[in-house]
Amino acid sequence: MSDALQELADKQSITEVIYRYCRGLDRMDADLARTVWHPGGTADYGPIFAGTGEQFVEWVWKVHEMAARHSHQITNILIEVDGDKATSEAYVTVALRAKTDAAEALEYEARGRYLDRWSRRDGRWAIDHRQFVQDLSRTHPADRLEPDDGQSRRDRGDPSYDFLTSG
């Protein structure tokens, strides 16, 4: 494979790991979320969390379990590859809708960037260290809490699991 083609393949592999992280969180698939870090990989989310990737998944699970719904989006991914090492910056927007019995729900929204250091070990790209940089955040009343129509699920019962494997 040419160097340019290898670099494109590496960048695509890293991009897929970043997307898999968001899917793991939104579908509450902890096993999937843990795959984005190498063993011993670290996560620094500023004043809210610092520790290993494994510990971060455990911590964030408690936060996400308190939400009725949540959604993560990734944009503007820049990746620099140097052999079996890489760095990336990916913009992230996360929205979490609080569970409530009231007609009006609260929504928390944060925008920031993941600054990740990567390595390829045994042919697999994963994060060695992530630093989250928060750029904006806000909490606001949501118009309403969507009824649970059974379509969007926060587990492996979500239609996307069957759809993506049905080829």
Side-chain angles (χ1 to χ4, degrees), residues 72-88:
H72 297 72
Q73 291 85 44
I74 297 289
T75 62
N76 300 12
I77 300 173
L78 297 173
I79 302 169
E80 296 293 329
V81 177
D82 184 12
D84 288 335
K85 300 282 185 185
T87 55
S88 67

Side-chain angles (χ1 to χ4, degrees), residues 2-145:
S2 74
D3 290 345
L5 193 54
Q6 182 63 55
E7 184 176 342
L8 286 173
D10 292 339
K11 287 181 176 187
Q12 184 61 40
S13 294
I14 290 168
T15 299
E16 293 291 326
V17 175
I18 295 169
Y19 290 155
R20 190 167 60 236
Y21 169 76
C22 291
R23 183 170 196 238
L25 291 184
D26 288 340
R27 301 288 65 83
M28 297 293 288
D29 186 338
D31 292 336
L32 183 61
R34 282 192 279 277
T35 67
V36 305
W37 276 277
H38 280 303
T42 56
D44 178 357
Y45 280 69
I48 63 171
F49 180 86
T52 67
E54 176 79 23
Q55 291 167 333
F56 176 75
V57 171
E58 291 174 21
W59 177 85
V60 81
W61 236 246
K62 294 173 185 158
V63 174
H64 281 60
E65 285 175 338
M66 293 187 300
R69 295 177 187 256
H70 40 79
S71 180
H72 297 72
Q73 291 85 44
I74 297 289
T75 62
N76 300 12
I77 300 173
L78 297 173
I79 302 169
E80 296 293 329
V81 177
D82 184 12
D84 288 335
K85 300 282 185 185
T87 55
S88 67
E89 176 186 54
Y91 283 64
V92 60
T93 300
V94 60
L96 292 101
R97 184 74 55 94
K99 287 181 182 176
T100 179
D101 292 331
E104 187 175 274
L106 288 178
E107 187 168 286
Y108 170 76
E109 183 179 319
R111 296 174 190 263
R113 292 166 285 134
Y114 296 138
L115 306 178
D116 295 329
R117 294 196 182 281
W118 301 82
S119 64
R120 177 177 29 213
R121 300 181 195 169
D122 299 321
R124 182 177 83 87
W125 284 103
I127 298 170
D128 292 316
H129 178 72
R130 165 170 284 171
Q131 179 181 350
F132 173 69
V133 176
Q134 184 167 297
D135 293 319
L136 304 165
S137 69
R138 70 184 187 137
T139 302
H140 58 94
D143 294 336
R144 62 184 171 85
L145 187 61

